[in-house]
Amino acid sequence: MSTTPADATVTGLVNPYEELEAQLRGYTIKPADPAYDEARAVYNAMIDRRPAVIVRCADAADVVACVRFARQHSLEVAVRGGGHNAGGLGVWDDALVIDLSLMRSTTVDPANHEVRVDGGCLWRDVDHATVPFGMATPSGFVSSTGVGGLTLGGGVGYLTRLAGLTVDNLLSADVVLADGSLVTADAEHHPELFWALRGGGGNFGVVTSFRFRCHDVGENGVIIGGPVFYDLADVGEVMRWYRDFLPEQPGDLNGWIGVTRIPSVPVFPEELHDRRACVIVWCYTGPHADAERVLAPIREFGNPLLVGLQNLPFSALQSMFDPLLPSGLQWYWKADFITELSDEAIEVHRKYGEAIPTELSTMHMYPISGAAQQVAPGDTAFAYRGGGWAGVIAGIDPDPAKAQLISDWAKAYWEELHPTSAGGAYINFIMDEGPDRVRAAYLENFDRLAQVKAQYDPDNVFHINQNIPPAAE
């Protein structure tokens, strides 16, 4: 990489980062380097920030060097894993970005149903390692999502009803702390830090590796799943049936619900392209011999436009929507937790479903029930354990000229729907919405998180995130 000087707060050297570069197995990318614009880009193309330097770390020692260097020179620190964060908090103007994207190794222990995962992995890396053994770790719904960001925020996904959140399956984490030390946090070592990492976001350090519990899924990793679409005119009937049906089902059946426009792609019949619809995407991970009985009520309900249930590897379901949602789209997100899908809320979904402004814009509700409810609200930092859903309204389009259009739709939708919500929102789904929204995400756990922050990061070094300030002494 070039050693062209970069604009930064480090002064007095021809190359202000020469001292850091001498310690790295990875490399730096600075504003004058050809790779800079690509390296600073994140998943959400609405984000346009210019870091002072991006450090592609090769290992934990590189991360340690970055944290120490940043503190020595009073540089802001941002931490980038998969870059999926809605608010683009993996990059920041004039910051030193600790980029973990080179750290992508995984190690599977099939006998003990565990997997060790580097901090820069995407969930497709984990699925690639575990699904051939018939196992998976609970994750999200898009395989290009980073392991670090999703995990530290909680981890709601297809396996939530079967095996809990991602954080419920975290066994240990290697963490570089604000003082530049490296520790392993688990139930016996740094237990308060371990508690806080399970939902408290990136507030407590840089996680360089995770160790997760895995679960058998389907038959040798093959599950039954896929989308079922209904005409939007039927959204009231569908949502009322769904809200009553799903909570009564065993944990090996999950399904998220949304309002959408059917994508204009060859996998769907041309006559359905761009049609406004209500969709439920199902995932059944139980014995295939029981599938006909379990899935019969789904196949028999209502008047679906398309039933896309099929046998497929769990990794294929996880990556099903990746081609529709590549990096570089415009995104605007609004979110809330929902404990009750009321008739009033259903009418709001119908109204804004009819007004979806672009083909990719959508609303999704992801269940937090089954096994996720068996964990007490205070057992992890993730506090919403009473059932219901993590809801997100996403205005999405490739055209920057439509950024205002999709943002206005998402905001108006959320403002009308919010009075029916539980108040807070899934931390992974909010953008830059202020400290009150962060506090609301954690309920009674916030004050304890602030105490852990005061212990492990009293100077708030890691504050480019959904920030939890350290408690005052």
Side-chain angles (χ1 to χ4, degrees), residues 201-265:
N203 278 281
F204 307 98
V206 185
V207 179
T208 58
S209 70
F210 301 85
R211 185 166 60 93
F212 295 109
R213 181 184 301 109
C214 297
H215 299 265
D216 294 329
V217 291
E219 296 190 359
N220 296 316
V222 175
I223 57 92
I224 300 171
V228 179
F229 290 97
Y230 303 86
D231 190 270
L232 187 65
D234 297 332
V235 66
E237 179 186 3
V238 174
M239 285 189 167
R240 282 187 283 272
W241 169 77
Y242 167 83
R243 75 184 179 191
D244 296 332
F245 172 74
L246 185 63
E248 301 301 320
Q249 303 310 303
D252 53 17
L253 181 66
N254 198 359
W256 60 262
I257 191 167
V259 293
T260 191
R261 284 161 62 166
I262 298 177
S264 300
V265 294

Side-chain angles (χ1 to χ4, degrees), residues 289-361:
D290 296 337
E292 185 174 349
R293 172 183 56 81
V294 173
L295 299 176
I298 296 170
R299 297 185 186 278
E300 295 167 3
F301 169 74
N303 299 291
L305 300 171
L306 177 71
V307 178
L309 297 175
Q310 56 189 298
N311 290 24
L312 71 172
F314 177 72
S315 52
L317 180 64
Q318 283 278 86
S319 60
M320 181 174 287
F321 300 101
D322 289 12
L324 291 173
L325 301 171
S327 182
L329 301 175
Q330 305 283 311
W331 286 78
Y332 191 88
W333 295 32
K334 294 291 291 185
D336 270 321
F337 286 117
I338 300 107
T339 51
E340 179 186 1
L341 181 53
S342 66
D343 289 346
E344 178 186 0
I346 290 171
E347 177 57 24
V348 177
H349 292 307
R350 181 202 61 75
K351 174 181 175 180
Y352 285 91
E354 291 176 351
I356 294 175
T358 62
E359 188 171 291
L360 293 175
S361 295

Side-chain angles (χ1 to χ4, degrees), residues 414-472:
W414 180 85
E415 287 170 2
E416 198 159 336
L417 189 65
H418 181 64
T420 72
S421 76
Y426 182 29
I427 206 73
N428 285 347
F429 286 167
I430 67 174
M431 299 182 74
D432 184 7
E433 301 178 28
D436 289 345
R437 287 285 281 165
V438 176
R439 177 179 283 273
Y442 293 109
L443 300 175
E444 289 77 14
N445 288 342
F446 185 87
D447 289 342
R448 182 177 172 187
L449 284 163
Q451 293 289 342
V452 181
K453 179 75 168 179
Q455 179 181 354
Y456 284 93
D457 185 13
D459 297 323
N460 208 6
V461 171
F462 301 111
H463 67 94
I464 298 174
N465 46 44
Q466 302 297 351
N467 194 235
I468 300 167

Side-chain angles (χ1 to χ4, degrees), residues 125-189:
D125 300 322
V126 185
D127 293 337
H128 174 79
T130 62
V131 172
F133 295 97
M135 308 183 310
T137 293
S139 54
F141 302 92
V142 178
S143 74
S144 59
T145 306
V147 169
L150 182 130
T151 299
L152 296 175
V156 180
Y158 283 113
L159 301 183
T160 292
R161 301 191 74 248
L162 174 72
L165 306 177
T166 306
V167 292
D168 301 332
N169 295 276
L170 181 63
L171 300 173
S172 67
D174 294 330
V175 192
V176 177
L177 301 176
D179 64 2
S181 61
L182 175 66
V183 301
T184 297
D186 58 25
E188 297 181 357
H189 307 91

